[in-house]
Amino acid sequence: MQLHSEKQEDENRQLVRDMVREFAEKNIRPHVMEWDEAQHFPVETFKAMGQLGIMGLLVPETYGGAGLGYQEYVDVIVEIARVCGGVGLSLAAHNSLCTGHILAFGNEEQKRSWLPRLTGAEWIGAWALTEAGTGSDALGMATTAVSDGDCYVVNGTKNWITHGQSGDIVVVMVRTGEKGRSQGVSALVVNKGTPGFVSGKKENKLGMRASETTELIFDNCRVPKANLLGREGEGFKQAMQVLEGGRISIAALALGIAKGAHEAAVRYAKERHQFGQPIANFQGISFKLADMATEIEAAELLTRQAADRKNRGVSVIKQAAMAKYYASEVAVKCATEAVQVFGGYGYTKDFPVEKYYRDAKLCTIGEGTSEIQKLVIAREILK
């Protein structure tokens, strides 16, 4: 019976992978460079992914989601990121950060009100923690929310916010108490169009250019207290828990980019001839491809381990940090080696690997830098 259910699960996962791969090849690949060059965030493609059921992958069917687990979630992010890291990043941010935070900490009324619109991509979700002066030091945030009757009055600016311009709803971490204290942070949901809430500067980025990144500005923005997630003072703790799942997302994103770069390098090495034979025949090239393949497999095993633990509801602090740290560094290395395999052509925008090279780097920075992951891992093993 157990074997039958595992076989069925594998078949279902393969169906999901095939569906997403076909969608990515048909609807994303033809536009990859066009979106990248223009820094265009393809909202309509995300609406189409909502119809496909992948904008609420981890959300129960009760709230309009797909009700899938973390292994399927990894599968989907990998398949999208193999084609375009920017689209993969936005898909991950919508699912694991905004939607994931509301799913984990919203009350029943909040979940029923907001989740179906997010899972169907009627709404695009954003999540705001970082500020100009507080990257890794999130507790130093300056954005405040002051109680005033049945509202909070929010003032401040958030930076590096995915979907800051196109997002319809944002989960924003604000200071409701003393600066520097984790109990002084709360999480509020703010809808687009709320007076006093606007998007600011759009960042002109090295990579992940199809994923929109902007400032969010709050100027005496009144947010109903009914939009508080959980209790006042729980926002930082919530954010750290959300980021644990987010690290699995970035590991999957990095894995997809690494696989895309490796596949392109293998194809090219077989097609490109020098000295009367394919360059894949030369040990200098074949060893690069072997190293890339080995490190990708190791990164996938770490990512799958973290996803398995997340599915089982056991601690993933160490495993998610390891997966995110290792997979992101592997993505950078694989993309670098792919450019080398392509030689001069790899340095041009006519071939795909220069984009993997640019996209990969963010994976070592976003949702906790590689250095922060090492701090987390060290803290866990030294407990």
Side-chain angles (χ1 to χ4, degrees):
M1 193 67 172
Q2 177 69 24
L3 282 172
H4 176 73
S5 66
E6 283 178 9
K7 185 171 183 283
Q8 185 64 50
E9 190 179 315
D10 286 345
E11 286 173 359
N12 290 343
R13 277 184 57 195
Q14 188 59 52
L15 284 172
V16 171
R17 277 196 297 269
D18 290 345
M19 175 188 75
V20 175
R21 180 171 291 200
E22 185 181 337
F23 178 89
E25 292 295 339
K26 184 180 173 184
N27 299 284
I28 299 172
R29 196 178 292 280
H31 309 290
V32 163
M33 289 313 295
E34 169 199 337
W35 293 344
D36 184 77
E37 292 280 301
Q39 286 211 107
H40 172 68
F41 176 59
V43 174
E44 291 311 312
T45 303
F46 283 85
K47 302 283 186 191
M49 288 196 283
Q51 296 300 306
L52 206 63
I54 61 174
M55 292 291 275
L57 279 160
L58 300 164
V59 178
E61 292 176 30
T62 319
Y63 307 114
L68 297 174
Y70 264 82
Q71 298 293 4
E72 292 90 344
Y73 179 57
V74 169
D75 290 337
V76 170
I77 299 295
V78 165
E79 288 301 330
I80 297 291
R82 276 177 65 253
V83 176
C84 179
V87 176
L89 173 65
S90 278
L91 181 65
H94 174 93
N95 270 286
S96 74
L97 297 181
C98 179
T99 306
H101 197 141
I102 292 168
L103 177 65
F105 299 106
N107 59 40
E108 193 59 28
E109 187 182 341
Q110 290 169 335
K111 287 193 277 195
R112 289 195 180 278
S113 173
W114 295 324
L115 288 177
R117 290 169 175 175
L118 285 162
T119 57
E122 177 190 341
W123 284 355
I124 302 292
W127 192 82
L129 174 65
T130 304
E131 298 180 5
T134 59
S136 299
D137 178 20
L139 284 176
M141 72 176 65
T143 300
T144 57
V146 177
S147 176
D148 182 22
D150 60 358
C151 286
Y152 287 104
V153 180
V154 182
N155 281 286
T157 303
K158 295 290 182 179
N159 287 64
W160 305 109
I161 309 307
T162 304
H163 314 146
Q165 199 172 75
S166 299
D168 300 282
I169 184 171
V170 57
V171 178
V172 58
M173 267 46 71
V174 293
R175 193 156 55 76
T176 48
E178 195 180 325
K179 194 170 189 174
R181 292 186 72 245
S182 61
Q183 294 84 358
V185 177
S186 301
L188 294 175
V189 173
V190 188
N191 290 85
K192 189 177 189 174
T194 303
F197 169 42
V198 294
S199 58
K201 177 194 171 193
K202 181 176 176 178
E203 302 297 343
N204 186 11
K205 299 178 299 184
L206 169 73
M208 301 289 197
R209 289 167 63 85
S211 179
E212 173 189 283
T213 307
T214 73
E215 285 181 323
L216 293 181
I217 300 162
F218 299 90
D219 181 12
N220 289 322
C221 176
R222 297 183 68 83
V223 181
K225 286 186 176 173
N227 287 21
L228 177 71
L229 291 172
R231 291 195 290 270
E232 192 174 291
E234 292 180 343
F236 186 76
K237 187 179 173 185
Q238 291 175 10
M240 293 305 104
Q241 195 172 317
V242 167
L243 283 172
E244 278 176 28
R247 284 169 185 156
I248 298 173
S249 298
I250 301 299
L253 179 67
L255 189 57
I257 291 169
K259 285 187 175 190
H262 182 248
E263 287 162 11
V266 168
R267 275 196 308 272
Y268 185 78
K270 288 177 177 177
E271 293 164 2
R272 171 73 166 170
H273 281 67
Q274 292 285 273
F275 307 102
Q277 57 185 308
I279 62 170
N281 289 358
F282 298 113
Q283 201 174 71
I285 299 297
S286 65
F287 278 17
K288 283 185 190 298
L289 300 174
D291 282 341
M292 290 159 76
T294 303
E295 290 177 358
I296 287 168
E297 292 264 342
E300 177 143 28
L301 286 168
L302 279 170
T303 306
R304 296 294 179 185
Q305 175 186 239
D308 175 62
R309 290 179 69 89
K310 189 75 175 170
N311 275 344
R312 290 189 285 116
V314 296
S315 174
V316 294
I317 297 171
K318 183 180 79 172
Q319 288 78 12
M322 284 180 166
K324 196 270 187 193
Y325 165 53
Y326 187 74
S328 64
E329 295 291 344
V330 163
V332 170
K333 185 175 177 184
C334 284
T336 303
E337 290 290 51
V339 171
Q340 198 71 16
V341 169
F342 273 74
Y345 291 113
Y347 205 66
T348 72
K349 290 184 183 290
D350 296 326
F351 290 82
V353 289
E354 66 84 32
K355 183 176 180 297
Y356 290 121
Y357 182 73
R358 289 184 289 108
D359 286 350
K361 188 58 197 167
L362 184 72
C363 297
T364 69
I365 299 168
E367 294 193 40
T369 61
S370 290
E371 290 73 20
I372 288 290
Q373 304 315 315
K374 287 196 257 192
L375 279 174
V376 171
I377 295 161
R379 189 172 63 220
E380 288 299 302
I381 63 177
L382 294 171
K383 269 183 176 175

